[in-house]
Amino acid sequence: TQTFIPLPNLPNNLITYNLSVPTTDNQITLKADHAFNNNNKLSVRYFWDHFKQNQNVALEAFNAQFRWETHNVTANHVKIFS
């Protein structure tokens, strides 16, 4: 028989356990600014995130892994007309 619920290990039928949440989170941020002249400027930013987390719960049958990857790009151009 497979046991899904561990037996109590404390008085009064209570259970205690150590929760492990292994997490890996790799990130990269790049930013570039360029001034073509005093009236014409450009800024670009890039962000990358790769996240992974193993969720370990008391009931092994319900363990899960969460993974996602994020890309974000932002650009800003300033042009002054005088």
Side-chain angles (χ1 to χ4, degrees), residues 30-67:
L30 303 172
K31 186 167 189 314
D33 296 314
H34 182 71
F36 298 99
N37 55 45
N38 286 339
N39 296 330
N40 195 4
K41 299 176 183 178
L42 177 67
S43 176
V44 177
R45 182 183 65 93
Y46 172 75
F47 175 75
W48 172 80
D49 180 28
H50 181 80
F51 180 84
K52 179 176 85 170
Q53 182 180 68
N54 294 325
Q55 180 182 354
N56 299 321
V57 295
L59 305 176
E60 289 187 30
F62 295 99
N63 286 346
Q65 185 178 83
F66 301 102
R67 305 181 81 140

Side-chain angles (χ1 to χ4, degrees), residues 13-44:
N13 287 330
L14 296 175
I15 298 172
T16 184
Y17 63 94
N18 292 326
L19 179 64
S20 173
V21 184
T23 302
T24 302
D25 192 8
N26 298 311
Q27 299 178 349
I28 294 175
T29 301
L30 303 172
K31 186 167 189 314
D33 296 314
H34 182 71
F36 298 99
N37 55 45
N38 286 339
N39 296 330
N40 195 4
K41 299 176 183 178
L42 177 67
S43 176
V44 177

